Amino acid sequence: MSVTTLDDVAEKPAIRITDSTLRDGSHAMAHRFTEDQVRSVVHALDAAGVEVIEVTHGDGLGGSSFNYGFSAVDDVKLVAAAVDEARQAKIAVLLLPGLGTVRNLKEAFDAGASVARVATHCTEADVSIQHFAAARDLGMETVGFLMLSHRASPAKLAEQARIMADAGAECVYVVDSAGALVLGDAQARVQAVIDEIGHQAQVGFHGHQNLSMGVANSVLAYQAGARQVDGALLALGAGAGNSPTEVLAATFERLGVPTGVDVQAALAAAEDVVKPIIPRLPHMDRSSIVQGYAGVYSSFLLHAERAGARYGVPPHEILQRVGEAGYVGGQEDMIIDIALQLAQERDLGDLAGVGTR
Amino acid sequence: MSKATAAIVGPGNIGTDLLAKLQRSENVDVRWMIGVDPASDGLARARARGVQTSHEGVDFLLGLDELPDLVFEATSAYAHRANAPRFAEAGIQAIDLTPAAVGPFVCPPVNLDVNLAAPNVNMITCGGQATIPIVAAVSSVVPVEYAEIVASISSRSAGPGTRANIDEFTETTAHAIEVVGGAQRGKAIIILNPVEPPMIMRDTVFCSIPAECDRDAIAASIHEMVQRVQEYVPGYTLRADPQFDDPRDIWNGHARVAVFLEVLGNGDYLPTYAGNLDIITAAAARVGDLMAQATVGANA
């Protein structure tokens, strides 16, 4: 057992928590955040000392669509409101190449966003090169996001992180979009990325709670050298949610790692500001655990529930099938396709059942 | 019966697959494959298929005593922008498979008839060729305020050009959904999936439709359009019947039709999973075939 002393506190490097309640949490809100809600959450996070607050449709800029769900309020308006509300925090936006474009990024920048987070599937980093170039030209801070990181080996992930770092990413995140990485799996990937790009860029970790590993993986990532992690108040995010920002703040404080976040203020933000506005708390239910277990993109959860209800098939079976097919972030349309297949198989099964009688 | 003569400029994967398709045409005779690299594999492949080749670029082609009737360009937008005026001046009809978009967007079953005599036509994008027929099928029955397409392709079938400028795909396709597909507003999404074995190209088309409308007529129009695309892309199929969803407030009170497509390539030169590449070469071959028919018919 180690005991944290004041000397340790002084020596330990800080970790920066980026709060994604208003981006990853947008999935859990079916992308229906209002401007007032964004203002109140930003106000609370900013006062708690969170340095970076991400505000975008769950699928990033341009995400408002049939496929991912339409936003209640345009991203650019929400970004502008967040920028207006923040006193010290920077406002970040997410962009998925193939969905969002440089044009979307410029609109967000004009609204005051100052951090560009560019996300690709973990093996497709080269589609982000033009977006990093544009973000750097605008003078934005740049972060790369390698999604569904459990699908790539540590060595492959390092190679992809190299592409992003060379394209201008100042930090590259190992993103556990499915909440599928278990402890050493997460740390080995963070370590490999640090070994490859650590001398020129920071490394971050984005965790999900589908197998309850978000915070533990974040600590292991820090111990491997990660200096940025993502959280969301009350874990509000896709699947079983993200690493809770307030738990990250409390845990790192106990470890003597400076975060700049006031634990009591973060707890109050979660309890008093976020809890009253969300329809349900993210939790580890059958479907979200299957996501972690089968390695399925967390944002697919509510889509699977809706398709399950529409076609009368169990959401966890849809998600299991999605995992087997190897679908990646953005392929929400395939959830309907699989629900249709399952419904067809069920109907054929019913017919077979009738036949045997 | 005499055939129209043609050249292909750009001996890469697309040019080679296009050559294989055009060599089956009753109306087009591909006489030349043009590149810029003497060591090009593509030029060697074309020679093996009995086509005259040159690595001296478009200068060689335009220096010929006998010029082709048609030229297919599968190089880059940059190269085609430079070549297009020269083809036009020489009176050669150009079918452009690059993103240059010098001429009008063409999708064969939707608007080729009105562009048959155009000096230069553009083949839009792979995702556009796969989805715009469906948008047009819906918009021919009811007003489509908004149409959105999702193209999922195998990572292996996404070349360096697509990867370096993926915004060009989303913006060009969205624009063509409007001007060719007939939607008031278009949106396009592309997903690269690295799964092994490689996934076959999939496309989903969502169209907003009026709350009250004849859904059977829309479904019939979609089925008919799929058959028309199958005439030149045999592996173009519906995964399920069109799916209709009732009106919702968040859809501005509109209802929605969703169409799920699979595009299995013909496997001429490119692997069958690369339906995205197959459908654009098949569409270009179709355009060439019908342009040639019109030209030869007029000369006969």
Side-chain angles (χ1 to χ4, degrees):
Chain A
M1 287 288 289
S2 67
V3 176
T4 305
T5 67
L6 282 174
D7 287 345
D8 292 334
V9 173
E11 283 169 12
K12 285 184 179 167
I15 191 152
R16 187 176 86 175
I17 297 174
T18 292
D19 183 274
S20 191
T21 309
L22 297 170
R23 200 282 302 167
D24 213 321
S26 177
H27 288 296
M29 295 291 287
H31 316 292
R32 310 305 290 168
F33 275 123
T34 65
E35 187 178 324
D36 283 348
Q37 289 168 343
V38 165
R39 282 183 179 274
S40 62
V41 174
V42 168
H43 185 83
L45 286 166
D46 183 73
V50 173
E51 286 177 57
V52 182
I53 301 169
E54 189 174 46
V55 181
T56 335
H57 183 285
D59 296 270
L61 296 169
S64 181
S65 57
F66 274 129
N67 204 29
Y68 309 117
F70 288 99
S71 303
V73 182
D74 187 74
D75 276 338
V76 176
K77 268 190 191 167
L78 295 183
V79 166
V83 169
D84 181 56
E85 199 68 37
R87 292 293 162 268
Q88 56 80 26
K90 294 180 180 180
I91 303 303
V93 290
L94 185 74
L95 186 152
L96 278 62
L99 172 59
T101 63
V102 167
R103 186 173 305 179
N104 297 137
L105 186 65
K106 286 182 174 160
E107 288 166 1
F109 172 78
D110 289 341
S114 54
V115 182
R117 308 216 304 172
V118 185
T120 74
H121 183 68
C122 59
T123 57
E124 313 299 315
D126 57 358
V127 298
S128 67
I129 293 171
Q130 72 177 133
H131 308 86
F132 281 119
R136 291 296 288 266
D137 283 349
L138 292 168
M140 299 177 85
E141 184 187 325
T142 49
V143 174
F145 243 48
L146 292 169
M147 299 190 291
L148 285 173
S149 280
H150 73 282
R151 296 258 179 92
S153 67
K156 178 72 180 174
L157 213 54
E159 165 205 309
Q160 295 289 305
R162 157 67 48 203
I163 294 170
M164 285 185 163
D166 288 348
E170 294 165 280
C171 176
V172 178
Y173 267 66
V174 172
V175 180
D176 185 16
S177 316
L181 291 174
V182 178
L183 303 175
D185 299 338
Q187 195 172 38
R189 281 168 175 75
V190 170
Q191 189 65 60
V193 173
I194 286 172
D195 291 346
E196 177 65 32
I197 65 163
H199 61 284
Q200 73 180 91
Q202 287 198 332
V203 175
F205 180 78
H206 174 102
H208 277 271
Q209 292 287 74
N210 301 345
L211 295 180
S212 179
M213 296 290 160
V215 176
N217 283 343
S218 299
V219 171
L220 290 172
Y222 172 80
Q223 289 175 343
R227 292 296 171 260
Q228 298 191 30
V229 291
D230 284 3
L233 293 168
L234 286 173
L236 193 71
N242 291 93
S243 317
T245 295
E246 63 277 22
V247 184
L248 287 172
T251 301
F252 280 111
E253 185 175 304
R254 275 286 172 263
L255 290 169
V257 178
T259 64
V261 178
D262 181 296
V263 173
Q264 295 304 324
L267 288 170
E271 198 68 23
D272 302 338
V273 180
V274 174
K275 204 169 186 179
I277 64 179
I278 62 176
R280 68 172 188 185
L281 282 166
H283 66 292
M284 285 167 270
D285 59 6
R286 184 176 191 171
S287 291
S288 62
I289 295 165
V290 165
Q291 289 188 299
Y293 181 68
V296 177
Y297 199 62
S298 293
S299 322
F300 289 177
L301 179 64
L302 296 189
H303 294 273
E305 289 182 359
R306 281 183 218 116
R310 165 85 161 77
Y311 294 104
V313 293
H316 68 92
E317 284 186 25
I318 298 175
L319 292 166
Q320 182 71 38
R321 197 70 77 91
V322 166
E324 288 161 9
Y327 291 135
V328 302
Q331 293 190 284
E332 271 74 349
D333 52 328
M334 293 299 121
I335 290 169
I336 305 176
D337 184 73
I338 283 176
L340 282 162
Q341 279 175 39
L342 286 169
Q344 194 181 29
E345 287 167 21
R346 177 201 59 208
D347 295 346
L348 289 173
D350 288 351
L351 283 175
V354 170
T356 59
R357 262 178 231 136
Chain B
M1 180 176 160
S2 70
K3 291 184 173 186
T5 57
I8 298 173
V9 178
N13 291 336
I14 296 283
T16 302
D17 192 74
L18 179 62
L19 175 60
K21 287 180 167 60
L22 285 170
Q23 285 189 323
R24 291 195 294 267
S25 167
E26 290 174 8
N27 302 303
V28 179
D29 177 19
V30 179
R31 300 271 294 275
W32 302 277
M33 175 70 88
I34 306 298
V36 291
D37 174 8
S40 154
D41 291 342
L43 291 181
R45 288 190 296 258
R47 276 193 295 276
R49 285 180 158 273
V51 173
Q52 191 184 344
T53 65
S54 168
H55 63 270
E56 290 169 355
V58 169
D59 289 342
F60 166 86
L61 187 68
L62 295 176
L64 290 168
D65 290 338
E66 182 204 359
L67 294 175
D69 299 310
L70 302 172
V71 63
F72 295 84
E73 179 142 10
T75 56
S76 67
Y78 180 79
H80 185 66
R81 278 188 205 107
N83 293 335
R86 303 180 67 193
F87 295 143
E89 196 180 326
I92 304 170
Q93 251 186 320
I95 296 134
D96 168 23
L97 289 87
T98 80
V102 173
F105 291 142
V106 164
C107 179
V110 182
N111 70 341
L112 177 58
D113 50 348
V114 298
N115 287 298
L116 265 184
N120 188 311
V121 294
N122 177 268
M123 298 310 301
I124 319 175
T125 60
C126 61
Q129 289 298 338
T131 59
I132 288 167
I134 303 299
V135 177
V138 179
S139 74
S140 70
V141 180
V142 292
V144 174
E145 187 185 80
Y146 172 72
E148 174 184 314
I149 71 100
V150 187
S152 291
I153 66 173
S154 166
S155 296
R156 284 169 175 257
S157 69
T162 302
R163 289 170 178 275
N165 197 351
I166 202 162
D167 281 12
E168 198 164 59
F169 173 93
T170 53
E171 288 173 350
T172 302
T173 309
H175 185 47
I177 288 168
E178 297 165 5
V179 300
V180 183
Q184 279 179 45
R185 201 159 52 83
K187 183 178 183 69
I189 298 163
I190 184 168
I191 313 284
L192 311 186
N193 184 317
V195 75
E196 292 290 338
M199 66 171 286
I200 298 166
M201 185 200 203
R202 298 292 312 274
D203 295 277
T204 301
V205 180
F206 298 106
C207 292
S208 74
I209 56 175
E212 300 292 330
C213 65
D214 183 348
R215 293 181 177 186
D216 291 342
I218 293 171
S221 178
I222 291 167
H223 282 290
E224 192 210 346
M225 183 61 85
V226 169
Q227 284 179 3
R228 290 175 64 192
V229 177
Q230 283 170 347
E231 289 171 16
Y232 60 97
V233 188
Y236 186 83
T237 52
L238 287 176
R239 295 269 304 175
D241 281 330
Q243 298 292 304
F244 292 93
D245 283 276
D246 291 334
R248 293 187 195 170
D249 290 343
I250 57 166
W251 297 344
N252 288 336
H254 292 302
R256 180 182 88 175
V257 60
V259 179
F260 298 87
L261 298 155
E262 180 174 278
V263 187
L264 180 68
N266 210 40
D268 291 316
Y269 174 68
L270 300 161
T272 52
Y273 63 78
N276 49 312
L277 304 178
D278 184 83
I279 199 168
I280 196 164
T281 58
R286 177 77 162 181
V287 170
D289 204 48
L290 295 178
M291 280 183 167
Q293 238 175 25
T295 310
V296 172
N299 293 344

